Amino acid sequence: MENYWHWLDVLVKEAAKRLLGCEIVRVIDGQVLRGRIVETEAYDQTDPASHTYTGRSIRNEAAFRSAGYAYIYHIYGLHNCLNIVTGGEIAGAAVLIRALEPLQGFEYMEERRRQTGKNLTNGPGKLCQAFSITRELNGHDLLRPPLQLLQEPALPSNEIVVTTRIGITKAADELRRFYIKANPYVSKL
DNA sequence: GAAAAGATCTTCT
DNA sequence: GAAGATCTTTTCC
């Protein structure tokens, strides 16, 4: 079992890197929104900062679903955050999507955000608002509309920057945040 | 431009 | 009853 936790941890970090450059496609009100993932963070059950650290609960149930599902939670009373589940069934692991580079549907995003430019999607709460991602989609299978994840070729490692995570107090010195080098949509460079 | 404060509510103790 | 994987606005340099 010790070995199992080790590899769960290795794999979620690997998935967080691998998700950089992949596309999120959202269909809403007859419109298609697209964005490219530029910043991620890895969380799993071995990690004190993770919602799954203390095991299953009502809130984190979706994080224990099959890999490739969405785990969406509500934070600070007014924001939602999107995760891609990577563990599956017996262990909770997920990658937080912290920032997107908008590709399509700018007008819709500007209207929802009441902001323009990089402020559309350069933060986990911001991108959920821009893409109308709410907890109705918690536990959604990301192979299907109205919210899909499209795989893209892996980025070369010299394009990826690794740092500590944002906004946490536990395990704050662990290198579990990944972003695309010099991308203006990264939440905090 | 940085720092501080306020908004606002679900989940878990 | 408190904490929290955040964002906006205001207030100061």
Side-chain angles (χ1 to χ4, degrees), chain A residues 151-179:
Chain A
Q151 193 170 356
E152 296 290 334
L155 294 172
S157 58
N158 63 7
E159 289 292 310
I160 299 175
V161 182
V162 184
T163 71
T164 55
R165 291 173 291 186
I166 308 281
I168 55 165
T169 54
K170 300 167 206 153
D173 54 349
E174 290 197 27
L175 300 173
R176 290 171 161 274
R177 172 167 171 259
F178 308 91
Y179 63 84

Side-chain angles (χ1 to χ4, degrees), chain A residues 1 4-5 8 45 56 63-66 87-93:
Chain A
M1 204 58 188
Y4 176 84
W5 296 123
L8 181 76
Q45 218 166 336
R56 285 173 200 262
F64 286 86
R65 292 210 185 172
S66 176
E89 311 294 336
I90 67 169

Side-chain angles (χ1 to χ4, degrees), chain A residues 75-135:
Chain A
I75 190 72
Y76 297 124
L78 48 160
H79 303 292
N80 293 310
C81 295
L82 170 66
N83 290 252
I84 313 285
V85 177
T86 69
E89 311 294 336
I90 67 169
V95 174
L96 172 68
I97 306 303
R98 281 196 59 87
L100 296 175
E101 177 181 338
L103 298 175
Q104 181 179 336
F106 285 81
E107 285 188 12
Y108 183 94
M109 296 181 206
E110 287 167 2
E111 189 174 324
R112 287 229 86 221
R113 292 275 305 127
R114 306 192 171 282
Q115 298 268 350
T116 57
K118 66 182 186 183
N119 278 326
L120 289 178
T121 52
N122 64 342
K126 296 179 186 180
L127 70 91
C128 283
Q129 189 184 17
F131 278 67
S132 287
I133 294 171
T134 67
R135 279 165 301 161

Side-chain angles (χ1 to χ4, degrees), chain A residues 49-64:
Chain A
S50 173
H51 292 166
T52 59
Y53 184 62
T54 52
R56 285 173 200 262
S57 67
I58 294 172
R59 177 211 216 180
N60 67 24
E61 175 271 328
F64 286 86

Side-chain angles (χ1 to χ4, degrees), chain A residues 19-89:
Chain A
L19 280 163
L20 293 174
C22 293
E23 275 187 32
I24 297 287
V25 181
R26 169 74 163 134
V27 178
I28 177 88
D29 298 340
Q31 297 208 54
V32 179
L33 313 176
R34 291 193 305 125
R36 179 172 174 253
I37 298 171
V38 299
E39 181 182 355
T40 59
E41 285 180 359
Y43 292 86
D44 73 75
Q45 218 166 336
T46 68
D47 168 15
S50 173
H51 292 166
T52 59
Y53 184 62
T54 52
R56 285 173 200 262
S57 67
I58 294 172
R59 177 211 216 180
N60 67 24
E61 175 271 328
F64 286 86
R65 292 210 185 172
S66 176
Y69 278 59
Y71 165 48
I72 299 164
Y73 64 88
H74 196 226
I75 190 72
Y76 297 124
L78 48 160
H79 303 292
N80 293 310
C81 295
L82 170 66
N83 290 252
I84 313 285
V85 177
T86 69
E89 311 294 336

